[in-house]
Every structure is written in C-alpha cells, then in structure tokens.
Amino acid sequence: MKVPFVSFLPMENELNSELRNAFDRVFTRSWYIEGIEDKNFEKAFAEYCNTQYCIGVGNGLDALVLILKALGIGLEDEVIVPSNTYIATALAVTYVGAKPVFVEPKLETYNINPALIESAITSKTKAIIPVHLYGHPCEMRLILNIAKKYGLHIIEDCAQAHGATYYGQKIGTFGYAAAFSFYPGKNLGALGDGGAVVTNNKELAEIVRALGNYGSDYKYHHIYKGNNSRLDELQAAFLSAKLPYLDKMNEERRRIADRYLSEIKNNKVILPITQLDMVPVWHIFAIRCEERDDLENHLNNNGVGTNKHYPIPMHLQECYKELGFKLGDFPIAEKISSTELSIPMYYGMTNDEISYVIDTINSF
C-alpha cells in the first residue's frame, strides 16, 4: 500500500462542485481584486474566528509583516519568537528592520516555553509572537500575563491552527492581532497563496488594509509607504467554498490523531501530547525518534510518505548567520529538528491507510 504524506484529492473531490462554482462566479463577473468575494470571505472568516475584523492579504508572511508595520515596530526594536518554528515568523520581524529574539520551546509540546520568555525581554522588546505550531495552541494565559506585565503586544501566528481552541476560545483572539496563512496545505487552504489578518482593533484593521494596498486609504491617495498584498477574488471564492467544511475536516483530523495516539506502540517513537485545556486541529502530526532518519527510510521504503518540520533550526540557517549563533545555543530547538518526523495527516484518509501507517511504524 502507498500512503502519501498529504493528498488534496479526497477533499477536492468532495467539494468539486462548490469549487467549480466559485471559479465560475469570479470568471463570469470579471472582477479579480478587491471585489465581493473578498468582502464576503473576510466577513465570514471574521465571524468564524469570533473577531470583528478580517483583512485578506497575499500570504501568511505578509500578514505578520503588515501587523508589525501597523504597530510601528521597526529599527532597533526586538520581537520575541520561538526558536522552533517555520522561518517565516522570524523573517517577518527582519523585514520590518527589527531583531528576532529566539526563545526555546517545551520539548513535549514543541511550542514556546512561557517560563523562558521573561528572561529574554529587554528595553527594546516590543512584541511576542507565539506560534500555534502544528495546530496546537500555545499557553496563551501565561504569555498574556507576561505581555501585560511588560506592556508588550501579542501577535499570534495562526498559520497552522485554523479553528484550534484554548479554554474554549478560538486562537487568533488572544492577542492584539493574528496572522493566518491559506497556503494550499493548510487546514483551510486556497488553491494558491493567500493570508489574512484578524483583529478586534478597528484602527489596526484600517492601517493593515491601507498598508496592504500600497499604503492607500482611497485610490491614488497614499498615507503610508505600503505593500501590494491583497487576497485576490479567486482565492477568496475558493476559501469561501471551503470554510463551511473546516470544522468537519478538523474533526476528521482529530479522529486520525486519536487513532495514532492510541494505536502507535513503539518504544522508539515519542508521540505528541494533548493538553486538556486545548483542542488542536492537527495540521501536522509530528512524532520524534532518536533514529529519525532510519525510521523515515523504513516508512518511505514501505510506501508511507513523510516530511521533516524543520530539519535546520532558524538560528543555524545561513541567512541568520549575522546573529552569531552556533550549534548548541538552542539545544531544544536543535533536538526537535534532529528527531522530528511528520507522518500522513489529511482529510480523507481511509481506515485502511491509517492502519497501514500505524502498523508500519510499529514494525520499525
């Protein structure tokens, strides 16, 4: 049997008519930027997230950049980010001229360790970006208390966690603003790039919208040195078609995860944990193994697709060599990067496919 790491076919086959109708609406209307599809999706996604405002943008990285710019964060400022995340989180900070300050995660959750944040705060710190990695919420109550104590902004990176909840509250609603990605592989993915900013702050929403439209509040009137970052009509239409099914698809991911958690029985494999106060959405099912490369070869040779998130931690990436870090500076991030392996997790996996993945791991 072959089980790919990810497949969009089950979802796309199920939503075939909705997706085709979305395309036909946009094509027939011949309006491709800042039209009714974008407005309708922004309204629907804001309601889904339980926020007042949603601004569609070009991608998740742009969403973070625009929030940082709207908050006036830039040169000489510092922003705390987890040492274990996709590089886009740090790049956003770099793009506005600020410095990313890495804080280690908890080994058992992969997410930023709130107990280590306070020691990383300086007089230059302006914000904290907690990343709800792999679809698991961060410990937001502890992070919020720290932010309040030091007067810092919280910017949630929700790129992998559409629909996840923490103490019954949707992620994306704890901070000053939140960034989402709609890259095709996300739980709510477009058929191309896309992203969004959600917030309950009207002023911030207006600034973000202007910044993403060349800094313009109305045509040919530019109040900021802005970007070109807008969610196009076609992707907005596709997202509107998918959004009503997001909770159903997330629930299916939880069913698959429950089987993995209860049926994978291999003492070489460390399973992710779930916390009682959180409902993850399992964008990624990340296991760890000291013999990660051998396990990966075993799975691949038996037809099971895998991925590694992320094999080189940010502080050791060549693009950040100017920060002066070396091997051993962030040992927990390094431990995760050398042992993490992601196994198949997508809507539409059959019970036989799930069983095959489990059996193949157990036979290692």
Side-chain angles (χ1 to χ4, degrees):
M1 178 181 287
K2 288 189 178 296
V3 183
F5 173 67
V6 66
S7 174
F8 303 141
L9 287 177
M11 177 270 297
E12 290 174 350
N13 287 337
E14 184 174 322
L15 301 184
N16 184 281
S17 61
E18 287 93 336
L19 294 171
R20 290 183 181 276
N21 287 339
F23 175 84
D24 288 341
R25 287 199 311 271
V26 176
F27 189 71
T28 300
R29 197 177 289 122
S30 294
W31 190 286
Y32 303 111
I33 299 290
E34 294 188 309
I36 192 171
E37 296 291 346
D38 188 37
K39 290 181 174 62
N40 287 343
F41 173 72
E42 289 179 346
K43 181 176 184 295
F45 194 63
E47 290 175 354
Y48 178 82
C49 293
N50 295 323
T51 57
Q52 294 185 51
Y53 307 101
C54 170
I55 304 94
V57 299
N59 52 66
L61 172 56
D62 284 357
L64 287 170
V65 170
L66 292 170
I67 295 169
L68 290 164
K69 289 182 72 172
L71 292 173
I73 295 172
L75 291 174
E76 305 301 324
D77 293 333
E78 295 178 353
V79 177
I80 291 172
V81 302
S83 59
N84 177 55
T85 184
Y86 185 54
I87 199 167
T89 312
L91 287 177
V93 177
T94 302
Y95 286 173
V96 300
K99 177 185 177 182
V101 175
F102 301 129
V103 169
E104 289 271 68
K106 288 185 174 180
L107 186 60
E108 62 272 20
T109 68
Y110 307 123
N111 279 336
I112 193 168
N113 187 343
L116 303 178
I117 292 176
E118 199 162 359
S119 62
I121 295 172
T122 73
S123 60
K124 296 181 179 181
T125 307
K126 295 297 186 291
I128 306 168
I129 304 182
V131 181
H132 305 292
L133 199 66
Y134 308 148
H136 288 252
C138 294
E139 297 171 84
M140 292 307 300
R141 289 186 176 181
L142 296 175
I143 296 171
L144 285 168
N145 287 339
I146 295 168
K148 183 177 180 180
K149 179 178 178 180
Y150 290 93
L152 305 177
H153 292 299
I154 294 289
I155 303 166
E156 292 178 76
D157 185 334
C158 306
Q160 301 183 4
H162 314 66
T165 61
Y166 174 75
Y167 283 99
Q169 182 176 338
K170 287 275 181 70
I171 58 95
T173 59
F174 291 92
Y176 203 72
F180 284 87
S181 166
F182 302 127
Y183 180 77
K186 305 300 186 186
N187 291 35
L188 179 63
L191 302 190
D193 265 324
V197 171
V198 299
T199 182
N200 286 315
N201 186 285
K202 182 180 180 181
E203 181 182 7
L204 182 84
E206 291 174 347
I207 296 172
V208 166
R209 188 176 298 282
L211 283 170
N213 188 30
Y214 298 97
S216 173
D217 54 349
Y218 60 89
K219 196 166 186 177
Y220 301 134
H221 184 260
H222 304 272
I223 52 179
Y224 310 109
K225 296 180 180 72
N227 302 64
N228 175 18
S229 183
R230 300 168 295 193
L231 182 65
D232 71 70
E233 284 290 277
L234 189 57
Q235 301 307 331
F238 289 143
L239 290 165
S240 291
K242 287 185 173 185
L243 181 58
Y245 300 91
L246 177 57
D247 286 342
K248 171 188 173 182
M249 293 179 180
N250 282 343
E251 188 58 40
E252 178 64 9
R253 287 173 178 266
R254 283 190 281 269
R255 185 187 74 83
I256 298 167
D258 286 344
R259 285 203 58 192
Y260 283 160
L261 291 170
S262 63
E263 297 178 43
I264 293 176
K265 306 288 186 181
N266 187 321
N267 59 16
K268 294 182 178 180
V269 173
I270 301 170
L271 296 171
I273 69 166
T274 56
Q275 296 171 265
L276 293 177
D277 49 7
M278 303 179 187
V279 179
V281 292
W282 299 102
H283 171 61
I284 296 294
F285 194 94
I287 62 177
R288 290 200 304 112
C289 180
E290 293 294 334
E291 302 170 40
R292 190 266 307 279
D293 293 344
D294 290 338
L295 174 58
E296 181 179 38
N297 289 333
H298 170 74
L299 290 170
N300 294 170
N301 290 338
N302 284 280
V304 177
T306 57
N307 204 339
K308 295 188 282 286
H309 296 88
Y310 302 94
I312 304 174
M314 290 185 297
H315 68 284
L316 298 179
Q317 293 284 355
E318 185 175 353
C319 66
Y320 277 121
K321 62 184 179 182
E322 78 276 3
L323 296 179
F325 295 119
K326 62 184 184 303
L327 188 67
D329 285 341
F330 294 93
I332 299 177
E334 292 166 16
K335 181 75 168 177
I336 293 171
S337 70
S338 65
T339 58
E340 190 277 342
L341 187 67
S342 303
I343 62 176
M345 169 60 72
Y346 56 89
Y347 178 77
M349 286 185 73
T350 67
N351 283 323
D352 286 345
E353 289 172 331
I354 300 166
S355 295
Y356 185 72
V357 173
I358 293 167
D359 291 344
T360 308
I361 292 173
N362 287 341
S363 68
F364 174 67

